Amino acid sequence: MKLLLVAEYREEKLLGSINELLGFANEVNAETAVFLVGSENKIPHFAGKLYLADVNTHLEYNPDGHKALLLQAIEKEQPDLVVFSHSSYGWDLAPRVAFFLEAAQISEVVGIDNDEFIVPSCNSKLRRRVKSKSAKTVLTLQAGAFSAIEANETQPEIIALEADPASKETVIFQGYEAMEQGGVDLGKAKIIVSAGRGIGKPENVAIIADLAQALGGEYGASRPVVDSEWVEHNRQVGTTGQSVAPKLYVACGISGAIQHLAGMKKSEFIVAVNTDKDAPIGEIADVLIVADLKQFIPILTEKLKNLPGLRH
Ligand SMILES: Cc1cc2nc3c(=O)[nH]c(=O)nc-3n(C[C@H](O)[C@H](O)[C@H](O)COP(=O)(O)OP(=O)(O)OC[C@H]3O[C@@H](n4cnc5c(N)ncnc54)[C@H](O)[C@@H]3O)c2cc1C
């Protein structure tokens, strides 16, 4: 099998997501090439061909231009799979390429089993197995689903790509708009206690915030809690929130959907509190406490508050 991985370059940096795509390539043990609109000074390290277009000429994003360049690389490489990250770049570019190639597109892949791709469905409660029927297949891979390769110094063979003069611009990229920052920076917290949908109602955020305070940490939340406006967005952990790696992460009433895990699975020690002993969070938790958080957490918090010298 041959893969063409699509690397991303943003704000003058090569994004680390390419290392997860290379991890996927390792897992399927396939011949690998990479496509990048970027700079020769910041390239991914792997054994294979790097199809490189210059970012100064083609910009960091320009859908029609990048599609034309990628199609050139596909024409030369003839890969079986064209593999994107499940990111805003991938969401925009992958369907354009799949449509042009008349290829199947399988989005948000979290696993592969022989020639079947595993994708979440029903808000990540279930998993589907999908098989492509087309000669080429376009994939987007969910962040955190495949282990990133370790940094190394292997130099790829660089093949320069030029612009396709026939490509017309139908969409013009105007730039990035930074998300409003402010409030808490969870990335710096050593201890995070997070609230999931299992808290049941907004008043119960206080239970989670109290425990975080007793531990000398910060509180975070899963996306449904943020979407319900029970907690502000800058406390969301996961693919569309913050990525955190504290010493201790306490997940309260959080099922363990891949999008949440992607943002916290690098935590040093993970404790989960859940009424469901089979909740997927149990697969990565160091300790799973099977309990109703509304009963368990306040008792724990009270005990901790009375422990001398715990707060840092
Ligand atoms: C493109 C995309 C991006 C996403 N980005 C993110 C993201 O950044 N972050 C994120 O978190 N999610 C994200 N999601 C959503 C994600 O798929 C899940 O839907 C979400 O993480 C589920 O949140 P949850 O675990 O709080 O809720 P649920 O999945 O509903 O889980 C609730 C859990 O609480 C437990 N529970 C219920 N009552 C109690 C109780 N009394 N005591 C203890 N436990 C209890 C249940 O057993 C269950 O395990 C994204 C989804 C998509 C499609």
Side-chain angles (χ1 to χ4, degrees):
M1 185 159 37
K2 270 178 120 179
L3 307 188
L4 180 62
L5 312 178
V6 180
E8 295 180 33
Y9 196 84
R10 190 177 308 158
E11 297 182 288
E12 299 177 22
K13 289 193 190 102
L14 173 70
L15 297 193
S17 50
I18 181 61
N19 293 328
E20 290 189 16
L21 302 191
L22 288 164
F24 168 79
N26 263 358
E27 199 169 314
V28 297
N29 200 14
E31 191 183 328
T32 304
V34 173
F35 167 84
L36 171 68
V37 181
S39 156
E40 216 169 336
N41 302 325
K42 293 171 188 163
I43 57 169
H45 295 282
F46 67 100
K49 290 180 199 146
L50 172 64
Y51 291 91
L52 181 67
D54 181 22
V55 69
N56 294 321
T57 313
H58 303 291
L59 307 179
E60 289 190 3
Y61 197 49
N62 162 7
D64 299 299
H66 285 207
K67 184 184 100 178
L69 289 161
L70 181 52
L71 289 174
Q72 281 181 24
I74 293 169
E75 179 64 31
K76 290 184 196 215
E77 191 61 22
Q78 291 299 325
D80 303 292
L81 301 178
V82 182
V83 187
F84 292 81
S85 298
H86 194 68
S87 61
S88 51
Y89 186 88
W91 296 336
D92 199 24
L93 196 52
R96 293 170 193 272
V97 171
F99 181 75
F100 185 89
L101 295 174
E102 297 187 357
Q105 178 176 330
I106 304 175
S107 299
E108 223 188 328
V109 171
V110 296
I112 180 165
D113 186 8
N114 293 318
D115 55 351
E116 290 183 340
F117 299 101
I118 301 168
V119 294
S121 67
C122 297
N123 216 1
S124 291
K125 297 276 185 292
L126 301 175
R127 290 187 168 186
R128 279 182 295 138
R129 286 168 171 267
V130 183
K131 213 168 175 171
S132 170
K133 285 169 134 183
S134 57
K136 290 188 177 26
T137 305
V138 174
L139 304 180
T140 68
L141 304 189
Q142 183 55 258
F146 297 92
S147 304
I149 56 147
E150 299 290 327
N152 66 70
E153 293 300 316
T154 316
Q155 287 298 321
E157 175 196 346
I158 296 180
I159 298 165
L161 290 173
E162 296 302 331
D164 176 356
S167 79
K168 282 201 303 276
E169 283 187 9
T170 55
V171 176
I172 297 169
F173 173 65
Q174 300 220 305
Y176 306 103
E177 203 169 299
M179 253 174 37
E180 212 176 295
Q181 287 296 336
V184 61
D185 181 0
L186 287 184
K188 293 204 176 112
K190 293 203 170 61
I191 297 176
I192 298 175
V193 184
S194 279
R197 195 173 357 223
I199 64 168
K201 53 183 181 179
E203 292 76 15
N204 290 337
V205 171
I207 298 177
I208 306 303
D210 278 356
L211 175 60
Q213 198 186 19
L215 289 166
E218 279 294 347
Y219 70 95
S222 67
R223 180 162 161 175
V225 174
V226 171
D227 285 351
S228 307
E229 299 186 355
W230 298 351
V231 165
E232 61 272 35
H233 182 263
N234 58 33
R235 291 188 186 270
Q236 183 180 316
V237 174
T239 47
T240 46
Q242 295 202 47
S243 283
V244 298
K247 284 186 175 306
L248 172 64
Y249 189 89
V250 188
C252 308
I254 293 177
S255 59
I258 182 93
Q259 294 90 351
H260 189 82
L261 301 188
M264 48 64 76
K265 70 178 187 184
K266 293 194 181 125
S267 305
E268 253 175 60
F269 197 82
I270 300 172
V271 177
V273 182
N274 204 301
T275 41
D276 178 4
K277 68 173 176 40
D278 297 320
I281 190 86
E283 287 168 25
I284 63 147
D286 295 284
V287 176
L288 171 66
I289 298 161
V290 181
D292 182 335
L293 69 91
K294 295 190 287 300
Q295 293 167 359
F296 177 76
I297 303 282
I299 296 170
L300 176 66
T301 306
E302 269 321 295
K303 297 261 183 219
L304 290 173
K305 277 183 183 165
N306 295 328
L307 267 186
L310 180 77
R311 305 241 346 236
H312 310 284

PDB file of all heavy atoms in Angstrom, residues 1 24 27-28 81 106 109-119 127-133 137 139 141 146:
ATOM      1  N   MET A   1       0.842  -1.199   0.000  1.00  0.00           N
ATOM      2  CA  MET A   1       0.000   0.000   0.000  1.00  0.00           C
ATOM      3  C   MET A   1       0.886   1.262   0.000  1.00  0.00           C
ATOM      4  O   MET A   1       1.934   1.286   0.611  1.00  0.00           O
ATOM      5  CB  MET A   1      -0.888  -0.005   1.255  1.00  0.00           C
ATOM      6  CG  MET A   1      -1.840   1.143   1.240  1.00  0.00           C
ATOM      7  SD  MET A   1      -3.303   1.009   2.269  1.00  0.00           S
ATOM      8  CE  MET A   1      -2.819   0.187   3.748  1.00  0.00           C
ATOM      9  N   PHE A  24       0.562   6.782  11.880  1.00  0.00           N
ATOM     10  CA  PHE A  24      -0.442   5.966  11.193  1.00  0.00           C
ATOM     11  C   PHE A  24       0.237   5.144  10.085  1.00  0.00           C
ATOM     12  O   PHE A  24       0.007   3.935   9.942  1.00  0.00           O
ATOM     13  CB  PHE A  24      -1.525   6.881  10.602  1.00  0.00           C
ATOM     14  CG  PHE A  24      -2.458   6.214   9.628  1.00  0.00           C
ATOM     15  CD1 PHE A  24      -3.503   5.415  10.086  1.00  0.00           C
ATOM     16  CD2 PHE A  24      -2.309   6.387   8.260  1.00  0.00           C
ATOM     17  CE1 PHE A  24      -4.376   4.793   9.195  1.00  0.00           C
ATOM     18  CE2 PHE A  24      -3.170   5.781   7.361  1.00  0.00           C
ATOM     19  CZ  PHE A  24      -4.204   4.973   7.833  1.00  0.00           C
ATOM     20  N   GLU A  27       1.984   2.303  11.467  1.00  0.00           N
ATOM     21  CA  GLU A  27       1.061   1.257  11.923  1.00  0.00           C
ATOM     22  C   GLU A  27       0.592   0.378  10.761  1.00  0.00           C
ATOM     23  O   GLU A  27       0.457  -0.825  10.915  1.00  0.00           O
ATOM     24  CB  GLU A  27      -0.135   1.919  12.616  1.00  0.00           C
ATOM     25  CG  GLU A  27      -0.888   0.968  13.504  1.00  0.00           C
ATOM     26  CD  GLU A  27      -1.909   1.684  14.390  1.00  0.00           C
ATOM     27  OE1 GLU A  27      -1.575   2.725  14.994  1.00  0.00           O
ATOM     28  OE2 GLU A  27      -3.045   1.184  14.452  1.00  0.00           O
ATOM     29  N   VAL A  28       0.366   0.999   9.587  1.00  0.00           N
ATOM     30  CA  VAL A  28      -0.095   0.181   8.450  1.00  0.00           C
ATOM     31  C   VAL A  28       1.075  -0.337   7.622  1.00  0.00           C
ATOM     32  O   VAL A  28       0.875  -1.056   6.646  1.00  0.00           O
ATOM     33  CB  VAL A  28      -1.106   0.943   7.553  1.00  0.00           C
ATOM     34  CG1 VAL A  28      -2.351   1.293   8.313  1.00  0.00           C
ATOM     35  CG2 VAL A  28      -0.507   2.190   6.935  1.00  0.00           C
ATOM     36  N   LEU A  81      -3.903   5.754  -0.582  1.00  0.00           N
ATOM     37  CA  LEU A  81      -4.595   6.587   0.402  1.00  0.00           C
ATOM     38  C   LEU A  81      -3.971   7.978   0.434  1.00  0.00           C
ATOM     39  O   LEU A  81      -2.745   8.109   0.472  1.00  0.00           O
ATOM     40  CB  LEU A  81      -4.448   5.997   1.815  1.00  0.00           C
ATOM     41  CG  LEU A  81      -4.956   4.578   2.067  1.00  0.00           C
ATOM     42  CD1 LEU A  81      -4.669   4.169   3.515  1.00  0.00           C
ATOM     43  CD2 LEU A  81      -6.452   4.493   1.793  1.00  0.00           C
ATOM     44  N   ILE A 106     -13.309   9.094   3.737  1.00  0.00           N
ATOM     45  CA  ILE A 106     -13.689   8.570   5.056  1.00  0.00           C
ATOM     46  C   ILE A 106     -13.103   9.533   6.089  1.00  0.00           C
ATOM     47  O   ILE A 106     -11.884   9.709   6.160  1.00  0.00           O
ATOM     48  CB  ILE A 106     -13.171   7.124   5.249  1.00  0.00           C
ATOM     49  CG1 ILE A 106     -13.709   6.247   4.105  1.00  0.00           C
ATOM     50  CG2 ILE A 106     -13.594   6.578   6.599  1.00  0.00           C
ATOM     51  CD1 ILE A 106     -13.197   4.829   4.098  1.00  0.00           C
ATOM     52  N   VAL A 109     -11.104   9.148  10.989  1.00  0.00           N
ATOM     53  CA  VAL A 109     -10.685   7.761  11.238  1.00  0.00           C
ATOM     54  C   VAL A 109      -9.935   7.687  12.578  1.00  0.00           C
ATOM     55  O   VAL A 109      -9.065   8.505  12.855  1.00  0.00           O
ATOM     56  CB  VAL A 109      -9.781   7.270  10.075  1.00  0.00           C
ATOM     57  CG1 VAL A 109      -9.146   5.927  10.394  1.00  0.00           C
ATOM     58  CG2 VAL A 109     -10.586   7.212   8.780  1.00  0.00           C
ATOM     59  N   VAL A 110     -10.312   6.706  13.407  1.00  0.00           N
ATOM     60  CA  VAL A 110      -9.617   6.531  14.700  1.00  0.00           C
ATOM     61  C   VAL A 110      -8.883   5.194  14.789  1.00  0.00           C
ATOM     62  O   VAL A 110      -8.193   4.928  15.771  1.00  0.00           O
ATOM     63  CB  VAL A 110     -10.591   6.674  15.904  1.00  0.00           C
ATOM     64  CG1 VAL A 110     -11.163   8.079  15.977  1.00  0.00           C
ATOM     65  CG2 VAL A 110     -11.717   5.645  15.838  1.00  0.00           C
ATOM     66  N   GLY A 111      -9.066   4.345  13.769  1.00  0.00           N
ATOM     67  CA  GLY A 111      -8.379   3.057  13.799  1.00  0.00           C
ATOM     68  C   GLY A 111      -8.454   2.393  12.436  1.00  0.00           C
ATOM     69  O   GLY A 111      -9.222   2.821  11.555  1.00  0.00           O
ATOM     70  N   ILE A 112      -7.619   1.363  12.260  1.00  0.00           N
ATOM     71  CA  ILE A 112      -7.661   0.595  11.007  1.00  0.00           C
ATOM     72  C   ILE A 112      -7.510  -0.871  11.370  1.00  0.00           C
ATOM     73  O   ILE A 112      -6.724  -1.223  12.263  1.00  0.00           O
ATOM     74  CB  ILE A 112      -6.579   1.091  10.012  1.00  0.00           C
ATOM     75  CG1 ILE A 112      -6.623   0.293   8.723  1.00  0.00           C
ATOM     76  CG2 ILE A 112      -5.198   1.086  10.612  1.00  0.00           C
ATOM     77  CD1 ILE A 112      -5.859   0.922   7.569  1.00  0.00           C
ATOM     78  N   ASP A 113      -8.287  -1.716  10.699  1.00  0.00           N
ATOM     79  CA  ASP A 113      -8.229  -3.143  10.963  1.00  0.00           C
ATOM     80  C   ASP A 113      -8.285  -3.838   9.604  1.00  0.00           C
ATOM     81  O   ASP A 113      -9.327  -3.827   8.953  1.00  0.00           O
ATOM     82  CB  ASP A 113      -9.433  -3.537  11.841  1.00  0.00           C
ATOM     83  CG  ASP A 113      -9.364  -4.989  12.269  1.00  0.00           C
ATOM     84  OD1 ASP A 113      -8.328  -5.625  12.009  1.00  0.00           O
ATOM     85  OD2 ASP A 113     -10.352  -5.475  12.847  1.00  0.00           O
ATOM     86  N   ASN A 114      -7.147  -4.378   9.176  1.00  0.00           N
ATOM     87  CA  ASN A 114      -6.992  -4.861   7.802  1.00  0.00           C
ATOM     88  C   ASN A 114      -7.379  -3.743   6.842  1.00  0.00           C
ATOM     89  O   ASN A 114      -6.822  -2.684   6.910  1.00  0.00           O
ATOM     90  CB  ASN A 114      -7.796  -6.136   7.581  1.00  0.00           C
ATOM     91  CG  ASN A 114      -7.218  -7.275   8.409  1.00  0.00           C
ATOM     92  OD1 ASN A 114      -6.000  -7.425   8.485  1.00  0.00           O
ATOM     93  ND2 ASN A 114      -8.080  -8.027   9.062  1.00  0.00           N
ATOM     94  N   ASP A 115      -8.375  -3.949   5.972  1.00  0.00           N
ATOM     95  CA  ASP A 115      -8.722  -2.860   5.044  1.00  0.00           C
ATOM     96  C   ASP A 115      -9.996  -2.143   5.483  1.00  0.00           C
ATOM     97  O   ASP A 115     -10.659  -1.496   4.695  1.00  0.00           O
ATOM     98  CB  ASP A 115      -8.836  -3.390   3.605  1.00  0.00           C
ATOM     99  CG  ASP A 115      -9.808  -4.545   3.508  1.00  0.00           C
ATOM    100  OD1 ASP A 115     -10.259  -5.036   4.567  1.00  0.00           O
ATOM    101  OD2 ASP A 115     -10.134  -4.955   2.372  1.00  0.00           O
ATOM    102  N   GLU A 116     -10.323  -2.247   6.766  1.00  0.00           N
ATOM    103  CA  GLU A 116     -11.500  -1.540   7.277  1.00  0.00           C
ATOM    104  C   GLU A 116     -11.054  -0.367   8.150  1.00  0.00           C
ATOM    105  O   GLU A 116     -10.146  -0.508   8.980  1.00  0.00           O
ATOM    106  CB  GLU A 116     -12.371  -2.471   8.111  1.00  0.00           C
ATOM    107  CG  GLU A 116     -13.073  -3.513   7.262  1.00  0.00           C
ATOM    108  CD  GLU A 116     -14.000  -4.400   8.086  1.00  0.00           C
ATOM    109  OE1 GLU A 116     -13.850  -4.490   9.316  1.00  0.00           O
ATOM    110  OE2 GLU A 116     -14.873  -5.016   7.470  1.00  0.00           O
ATOM    111  N   PHE A 117     -11.718   0.769   7.948  1.00  0.00           N
ATOM    112  CA  PHE A 117     -11.402   1.949   8.755  1.00  0.00           C
ATOM    113  C   PHE A 117     -12.443   2.089   9.854  1.00  0.00           C
ATOM    114  O   PHE A 117     -13.635   1.852   9.620  1.00  0.00           O
ATOM    115  CB  PHE A 117     -11.380   3.202   7.870  1.00  0.00           C
ATOM    116  CG  PHE A 117     -10.337   3.113   6.803  1.00  0.00           C
ATOM    117  CD1 PHE A 117     -10.680   2.772   5.502  1.00  0.00           C
ATOM    118  CD2 PHE A 117      -8.996   3.315   7.106  1.00  0.00           C
ATOM    119  CE1 PHE A 117      -9.716   2.640   4.519  1.00  0.00           C
ATOM    120  CE2 PHE A 117      -8.021   3.194   6.136  1.00  0.00           C
ATOM    121  CZ  PHE A 117      -8.372   2.848   4.842  1.00  0.00           C
ATOM    122  N   ILE A 118     -11.977   2.476  11.041  1.00  0.00           N
ATOM    123  CA  ILE A 118     -12.888   2.603  12.180  1.00  0.00           C
ATOM    124  C   ILE A 118     -13.148   4.083  12.416  1.00  0.00           C
ATOM    125  O   ILE A 118     -12.204   4.873  12.521  1.00  0.00           O
ATOM    126  CB  ILE A 118     -12.279   1.932  13.430  1.00  0.00           C
ATOM    127  CG1 ILE A 118     -12.033   0.452  13.100  1.00  0.00           C
ATOM    128  CG2 ILE A 118     -13.195   2.087  14.647  1.00  0.00           C
ATOM    129  CD1 ILE A 118     -11.187  -0.286  14.095  1.00  0.00           C
ATOM    130  N   VAL A 119     -14.444   4.444  12.422  1.00  0.00           N
ATOM    131  CA  VAL A 119     -14.807   5.856  12.619  1.00  0.00           C
ATOM    132  C   VAL A 119     -15.892   5.949  13.694  1.00  0.00           C
ATOM    133  O   VAL A 119     -16.724   5.056  13.813  1.00  0.00           O
ATOM    134  CB  VAL A 119     -15.315   6.522  11.305  1.00  0.00           C
ATOM    135  CG1 VAL A 119     -14.230   6.620  10.275  1.00  0.00           C
ATOM    136  CG2 VAL A 119     -16.512   5.785  10.733  1.00  0.00           C
ATOM    137  N   ARG A 127     -18.910   2.889  17.269  1.00  0.00           N
ATOM    138  CA  ARG A 127     -17.882   2.927  16.219  1.00  0.00           C
ATOM    139  C   ARG A 127     -18.370   2.139  15.022  1.00  0.00           C
ATOM    140  O   ARG A 127     -18.940   1.067  15.189  1.00  0.00           O
ATOM    141  CB  ARG A 127     -16.586   2.349  16.738  1.00  0.00           C
ATOM    142  CG  ARG A 127     -16.008   3.289  17.753  1.00  0.00           C
ATOM    143  CD  ARG A 127     -14.649   2.909  18.201  1.00  0.00           C
ATOM    144  NE  ARG A 127     -14.100   4.032  18.934  1.00  0.00           N
ATOM    145  CZ  ARG A 127     -12.866   4.103  19.376  1.00  0.00           C
ATOM    146  NH1 ARG A 127     -12.044   3.123  19.141  1.00  0.00           N
ATOM    147  NH2 ARG A 127     -12.437   5.152  20.029  1.00  0.00           N
ATOM    148  N   ARG A 128     -18.125   2.688  13.831  1.00  0.00           N
ATOM    149  CA  ARG A 128     -18.498   1.993  12.602  1.00  0.00           C
ATOM    150  C   ARG A 128     -17.231   1.501  11.921  1.00  0.00           C
ATOM    151  O   ARG A 128     -16.181   2.119  12.052  1.00  0.00           O
ATOM    152  CB  ARG A 128     -19.187   2.967  11.634  1.00  0.00           C
ATOM    153  CG  ARG A 128     -20.628   3.215  11.926  1.00  0.00           C
ATOM    154  CD  ARG A 128     -21.213   4.148  10.887  1.00  0.00           C
ATOM    155  NE  ARG A 128     -20.606   5.468  10.940  1.00  0.00           N
ATOM    156  CZ  ARG A 128     -20.256   6.192   9.888  1.00  0.00           C
ATOM    157  NH1 ARG A 128     -20.443   5.721   8.666  1.00  0.00           N
ATOM    158  NH2 ARG A 128     -19.714   7.375  10.036  1.00  0.00           N
ATOM    159  N   ARG A 129     -17.366   0.407  11.167  1.00  0.00           N
ATOM    160  CA  ARG A 129     -16.249  -0.054  10.338  1.00  0.00           C
ATOM    161  C   ARG A 129     -16.624   0.236   8.898  1.00  0.00           C
ATOM    162  O   ARG A 129     -17.715  -0.127   8.463  1.00  0.00           O
ATOM    163  CB  ARG A 129     -16.058  -1.571  10.503  1.00  0.00           C
ATOM    164  CG  ARG A 129     -15.433  -1.902  11.825  1.00  0.00           C
ATOM    165  CD  ARG A 129     -15.512  -3.374  12.100  1.00  0.00           C
ATOM    166  NE  ARG A 129     -14.722  -3.645  13.275  1.00  0.00           N
ATOM    167  CZ  ARG A 129     -13.441  -4.002  13.242  1.00  0.00           C
ATOM    168  NH1 ARG A 129     -12.836  -4.223  12.094  1.00  0.00           N
ATOM    169  NH2 ARG A 129     -12.778  -4.190  14.351  1.00  0.00           N
ATOM    170  N   VAL A 130     -15.731   0.901   8.184  1.00  0.00           N
ATOM    171  CA  VAL A 130     -16.052   1.358   6.834  1.00  0.00           C
ATOM    172  C   VAL A 130     -14.993   0.829   5.874  1.00  0.00           C
ATOM    173  O   VAL A 130     -13.806   0.850   6.182  1.00  0.00           O
ATOM    174  CB  VAL A 130     -16.049   2.910   6.779  1.00  0.00           C
ATOM    175  CG1 VAL A 130     -16.445   3.403   5.412  1.00  0.00           C
ATOM    176  CG2 VAL A 130     -16.968   3.487   7.835  1.00  0.00           C
ATOM    177  N   LYS A 131     -15.474   0.372   4.713  1.00  0.00           N
ATOM    178  CA  LYS A 131     -14.555  -0.159   3.695  1.00  0.00           C
ATOM    179  C   LYS A 131     -14.707   0.709   2.440  1.00  0.00           C
ATOM    180  O   LYS A 131     -15.838   1.018   2.063  1.00  0.00           O
ATOM    181  CB  LYS A 131     -14.989  -1.587   3.379  1.00  0.00           C
ATOM    182  CG  LYS A 131     -13.881  -2.500   3.033  1.00  0.00           C
ATOM    183  CD  LYS A 131     -14.398  -3.923   3.027  1.00  0.00           C
ATOM    184  CE  LYS A 131     -13.328  -4.841   2.554  1.00  0.00           C
ATOM    185  NZ  LYS A 131     -13.670  -6.225   2.727  1.00  0.00           N
ATOM    186  N   SER A 132     -13.609   1.080   1.839  1.00  0.00           N
ATOM    187  CA  SER A 132     -13.699   1.902   0.629  1.00  0.00           C
ATOM    188  C   SER A 132     -13.838   1.003  -0.588  1.00  0.00           C
ATOM    189  O   SER A 132     -13.215  -0.052  -0.664  1.00  0.00           O
ATOM    190  CB  SER A 132     -12.427   2.729   0.490  1.00  0.00           C
ATOM    191  OG  SER A 132     -12.405   3.352  -0.768  1.00  0.00           O
ATOM    192  N   LYS A 133     -14.673   1.483  -1.540  1.00  0.00           N
ATOM    193  CA  LYS A 133     -14.809   0.701  -2.775  1.00  0.00           C
ATOM    194  C   LYS A 133     -14.064   1.352  -3.933  1.00  0.00           C
ATOM    195  O   LYS A 133     -14.026   0.811  -5.035  1.00  0.00           O
ATOM    196  CB  LYS A 133     -16.293   0.591  -3.155  1.00  0.00           C
ATOM    197  CG  LYS A 133     -17.069  -0.398  -2.289  1.00  0.00           C
ATOM    198  CD  LYS A 133     -18.528  -0.220  -2.569  1.00  0.00           C
ATOM    199  CE  LYS A 133     -19.252  -1.508  -2.782  1.00  0.00           C
ATOM    200  NZ  LYS A 133     -20.660  -1.246  -3.113  1.00  0.00           N
ATOM    201  N   THR A 137      -8.486   6.374  -1.923  1.00  0.00           N
ATOM    202  CA  THR A 137      -9.359   6.781  -0.822  1.00  0.00           C
ATOM    203  C   THR A 137      -8.729   7.974  -0.120  1.00  0.00           C
ATOM    204  O   THR A 137      -7.511   8.022   0.061  1.00  0.00           O
ATOM    205  CB  THR A 137      -9.535   5.615   0.178  1.00  0.00           C
ATOM    206  OG1 THR A 137     -10.018   4.484  -0.543  1.00  0.00           O
ATOM    207  CG2 THR A 137     -10.519   5.959   1.279  1.00  0.00           C
ATOM    208  N   LEU A 139      -8.614  10.081   3.359  1.00  0.00           N
ATOM    209  CA  LEU A 139      -8.932   9.913   4.793  1.00  0.00           C
ATOM    210  C   LEU A 139      -8.638  11.196   5.546  1.00  0.00           C
ATOM    211  O   LEU A 139      -7.721  11.927   5.193  1.00  0.00           O
ATOM    212  CB  LEU A 139      -8.038   8.844   5.425  1.00  0.00           C
ATOM    213  CG  LEU A 139      -7.994   7.444   4.853  1.00  0.00           C
ATOM    214  CD1 LEU A 139      -7.026   6.602   5.693  1.00  0.00           C
ATOM    215  CD2 LEU A 139      -9.377   6.818   4.859  1.00  0.00           C
ATOM    216  N   LEU A 141      -7.706  11.820   9.656  1.00  0.00           N
ATOM    217  CA  LEU A 141      -7.439  11.073  10.895  1.00  0.00           C
ATOM    218  C   LEU A 141      -7.713  11.952  12.110  1.00  0.00           C
ATOM    219  O   LEU A 141      -7.238  13.091  12.166  1.00  0.00           O
ATOM    220  CB  LEU A 141      -5.974  10.632  10.965  1.00  0.00           C
ATOM    221  CG  LEU A 141      -5.404   9.798   9.815  1.00  0.00           C
ATOM    222  CD1 LEU A 141      -4.010   9.300  10.211  1.00  0.00           C
ATOM    223  CD2 LEU A 141      -6.308   8.629   9.468  1.00  0.00           C
ATOM    224  N   PHE A 146      -3.717   8.138  16.672  1.00  0.00           N
ATOM    225  CA  PHE A 146      -2.531   7.344  16.312  1.00  0.00           C
ATOM    226  C   PHE A 146      -1.304   7.954  17.005  1.00  0.00           C
ATOM    227  O   PHE A 146      -1.184   9.177  17.089  1.00  0.00           O
ATOM    228  CB  PHE A 146      -2.338   7.312  14.788  1.00  0.00           C
ATOM    229  CG  PHE A 146      -3.491   6.637  14.094  1.00  0.00           C
ATOM    230  CD1 PHE A 146      -4.569   7.380  13.632  1.00  0.00           C
ATOM    231  CD2 PHE A 146      -3.529   5.259  13.966  1.00  0.00           C
ATOM    232  CE1 PHE A 146      -5.660   6.757  13.035  1.00  0.00           C
ATOM    233  CE2 PHE A 146      -4.616   4.626  13.372  1.00  0.00           C
ATOM    234  CZ  PHE A 146      -5.688   5.376  12.904  1.00  0.00           C
TER     235      PHE A 146
END
